[in-house]
Amino acid sequence: MLEDSPQTGSRVQLSIVQGYMSKFYRCYGTWVARNPILVLSLSLAVILLLCLGLIRFKVETRPEKLWVGPGSKVAEEKRFFDTHLAPFYRIEQLILATVPEAGAQKRPSIVTENNIKLLFEIQKKVDGIHANYSGTMVSLTDICLKPLDKDCATQSVLQYFQMDPQNLDNYGGVEHVNYCLQHYSSADTCRSAFKAPLDPSTALGGFSGNNYSEASAFIVTYPVNNVIDKEGNETDKAVAWEKAFIQLVKNELLPMVQSKNLTLSFSSESSIEEELKRESTADVITILISYLVMFAYISLTLGDTPHLSSFYISSKVLLGLSGVMLVMLSVLGSVGFFSAIGVKSTLIIMEVIPFLVLAVGVDNMCILVHAVKRQPMELPLEGRISNALVEVGPSITLASLSEVLAFAVGSFIPMPACRVFSMFAALAVLLDFLLQVTAFVAFIVFDFLRAEDKRIDCIPCRKVSSSSADSDKGIGGRRPGLLARYMKEIHAPTLSLWGVKIVVIAIFAAFTLSSIALSTRVQPGLEQKIVLPRDSYLQGYFNNVSEYLRIGPPLYFVVKNYNYSSESSQTNQLCSISQCNSNSLLNEIARASLTPESSYIAMPAASWLDDFLVWISPEAFGCCRKFTNGTYCPPDDQSPCCSSDTGSCGLGGVCKDCTTCFRHSDLNSDRPSTSQFKEKLPWFLNALPSADCAKGGHGAYTSSIDLQGYENGVVQASSFRTYHTPLNKQTDYVNSMRAAREFSSRASDSLKMEIFPYSVFYMFFEQYLDIWRTALINLAIAIGAVFVVCLVITCSLWSSAIILLVLAMIVVDLMGVMAILNIQLNAVSVVNLVMSVGIGVEFCVHLTHAFSVSSGDRDQRVRDALGTMGASVFSGITLTKLVGVIVLCFSRTEVFVVYYFQMYLALVLLGFLHGLVFLPVVLSMFGPPSRCKLVEKQEDRPSVSLRP
């Protein structure tokens, strides 16, 4: 298609697609200029119709729905564990620690008489919590985990006194604690109130090796039942109690502890979610200020060069405000559409997308307004609007479609938070573009009519006398601004010097190569401390967890479909007692625990199968017993064998005729037959542990086996519990999960059984196992999509390849900056990287398009492109984003400072440098040939200008 440019005597030969787009924009621009009210009404009606979907607006806060896809491996494993075994309990925790004395590097021991008494006082207050839930009072005993259905399984050194302060003196005070620290598994007096031995590693912190007496912290853990309903929400009773627990610690326990010169950190299961909700409102003012600053800057940059005599006419405050409102409407329309079809929003959407769309939408606003102002004043307004759309419409369309596609590819990310963000962002950017070329063009028409009619900007109903405004002859005129003159007269000539070109190419190439090397140092993860507000009480808690905890999260190895029948060899493939296979699962776990630095397994696993096989063996006289009628007979020190009233146990009582379940001749190599296993397993799981038989499975293994359908000779699910080593860094969590999966995979292949590892944190960290692959695939697809759009619209492989090169360099350099600033790779940074492709397009497309339709040699075309589009790119893209981003550095939340301020600032600076320094140099050296062809000037043709 040929477009006339009679002022220069040249024609621009556009591609077929651009030709049709120019023809469309010429007719469309004229129609909009003649019918602005109709265009505005129709566009606003459509967007308000989409906003009706906000009636069904919901926010997704459940972690399992945010970070893990429904078909992911960890989601299936968690569902299997929760269904067949039991949901992992909720954790409420206190960490009471000593303060180092002046000049001392080592903290004093926490294990003193006074500190134990203080711990009893704290426990008394915790026991006294009564939270109001729907009119009923909820205490700890109502919700705590009770293995033996009587006492809470509180993990505390107070368990060495059976949680009874009267036993403190009766048992010998601190000496008894020191004795129990060494004999916790064997001494009856050290057994906890819930009848199980208490490992000192779970109740003490800040010691090395097994020197428990040197511990500098008490760790008190309250396991609480975690009942999951069909929606996946925790029980409201527990949440109500947790809120009361946190208030008690803040109001009473902290002052009490600090008065004793100790420190106290604390957390509840709902703490992170509650603090994240607070964080989402903590920075509302910061975000609003960011938007206001951007709006103020937009209003200034859209206006003409200010003159005091006519500023109230030439300013564009109303136009800027209308543009910002259109951006907000596009976001609301996107959220409304997806809410209508049942897609829930996320906090990342509410916080990032408005900023993103505003940053993207401002570019088109500036480019459109500046294009209209460049048109000859002698043309009627509809001619100026039409010419402006012909001039910049194709590049705006190209940039917007590229951004939409760049975000749309994110919908292929398996992580729901990233996928939903990408979907919302793609539609928001698309709606914003459509509103820019419809409603905003109509607003431009109204604003220019207002200015030409000498009406005041913010009070358009008031008209100014012509004499007071005539002194300024350039209202809405074509006189280039200071920035445009700088770009054309200083910036472009400087970049045209060969020495400058060589230096620019060398510097940018070196930084890109360095960034490729640096990007390998970017670690996956997202520090919890960064996500939370800086003033959150959890900041101190996470610091203390890494400093004091000497054991990591529980780790379960889950075995599916264990065949216990006599014909199967799977029993010996799992157990670790005599006659078990040397490479059995439990033996392999024990061997792995010997190399904790690589396996991340802290100790051998607790095995219900081993204990069951010992429990039924003839040598365990007090364990598996039966009455003469064949029913279960408990040990002699339990009811009904032992009468608490008379104090007599087993001497001529009801249990005098009890016999052991089996003789050696009844078993086959000390292994039960299928029927024996089937009959005695429920006995074992109901047997209470006691002094006569400590192997009873009730409490310890109640939730370790799924008995449903086990009568068929197959246990559908069973678990063996051990612990991870202390996990202090995000990389520890990721590596421990990877090591556990590799171990399970080897064991499954070796034993020909289905085995998988499960820990409560796996839900949050599965994303990091493949985060690099996810990031690189989505970046490749996003950049590829931009390349295809550029190729289709421009029909120029040359131009598209240059845009592809610059985009790839921006992304690589941004990853290098992430490594320098120690920014981790996670869902947020992946979204930012994909977003950098969309925003980076803005810095490249407009300048490349202006270069391709300019005439002259490459240096002259670069000068023309920088003169026309360079100023718009700098003021409308770079400075607008910059002023909005800088405000985010004052955020109260570290995640905003790190992932939004630092990354966005780096993106804007990299985009500016690549778009206005590197790209012009590349175009001046290797740019595509001009589409502008010199022809004989025709005086009688209508004056329709593509370029000034």
Side-chain angles (χ1 to χ4, degrees), residues 717-915:
S718 64
S719 65
F720 303 95
R721 187 191 73 247
T722 178
Y723 289 89
H724 277 300
T725 53
L727 308 175
N728 299 324
K729 303 188 296 292
Q730 294 284 292
T731 49
D732 291 340
Y733 285 93
V734 178
N735 292 335
S736 65
M737 182 179 181
R738 182 179 287 111
R741 284 195 167 179
E742 289 173 356
F743 174 87
S744 296
S745 178
R746 289 195 303 270
S748 297
D749 294 341
S750 170
L751 304 176
K752 304 293 186 268
M753 300 174 71
E754 194 171 353
I755 303 166
F756 69 85
Y758 175 78
S759 191
V760 67
F761 70 86
Y762 287 0
M763 175 66 66
F764 307 97
F765 286 88
E766 187 192 42
Q767 56 178 302
Y768 302 121
L769 296 179
D770 296 316
I771 193 76
W772 267 111
R773 180 172 170 270
T774 300
L776 293 176
I777 288 176
N778 281 277
L779 286 172
I781 296 175
I783 295 175
V786 172
F787 175 75
V788 170
V789 171
C790 293
L791 188 60
V792 169
I793 292 180
T794 64
C795 293
S796 171
L797 182 62
W798 203 330
S799 298
S800 303
I802 290 175
I803 292 173
L804 178 71
L805 170 68
V806 177
L807 274 182
M809 290 179 67
I810 290 174
V811 173
V812 169
D813 290 350
L814 185 58
M815 293 172 72
V817 171
M818 286 175 61
I820 294 170
L821 298 177
N822 291 322
I823 298 176
Q824 295 173 305
L825 192 67
N826 49 56
V828 181
S829 50
V830 168
V831 165
N832 286 344
L833 286 170
V834 173
M835 192 172 74
S836 70
V837 176
I839 292 180
V841 170
E842 296 278 354
F843 292 98
C844 309
V845 166
H846 301 298
L847 203 67
T848 305
H849 176 73
F851 175 84
S852 67
V853 296
S854 299
S855 60
D857 61 19
R858 287 193 176 105
D859 286 334
Q860 179 61 42
R861 289 160 60 201
V862 165
R863 187 177 294 113
D864 289 346
L866 283 172
T868 55
M869 296 305 299
S872 296
V873 169
F874 184 76
S875 62
I877 302 176
T878 308
L879 292 182
T880 309
K881 291 178 174 64
L882 204 58
V883 296
V885 163
I886 288 174
V887 178
L888 295 178
C889 74
F890 301 104
S891 170
R892 292 170 54 194
T893 309
E894 197 72 19
V895 71
F896 267 92
V897 175
V898 174
Y899 290 98
Y900 299 139
F901 168 65
Q902 292 182 2
M903 283 197 75
Y904 284 11
L905 182 63
L907 170 57
V908 171
L909 293 178
L910 288 172
F912 160 71
L913 291 172
H914 283 80

Side-chain angles (χ1 to χ4, degrees), residues 640-665:
C641 302
C642 185
S643 172
S644 57
D645 297 332
T646 62
S648 60
C649 294
L651 300 175
V654 294
C655 299
K656 63 179 181 179
D657 295 328
C658 285
T659 59
T660 55
C661 294
F662 303 111
R663 296 186 297 271
H664 280 289
S665 58

Side-chain angles (χ1 to χ4, degrees), residues 19 56 101 133 142 157 168 176 315 523 650 686 801 811 817:
R56 300 186 60 189
E101 297 174 359
Y133 170 71
D142 296 324
V157 292
L168 181 60
H176 175 69
S315 69
Q523 297 292 329
N686 288 320
V811 173
V817 171

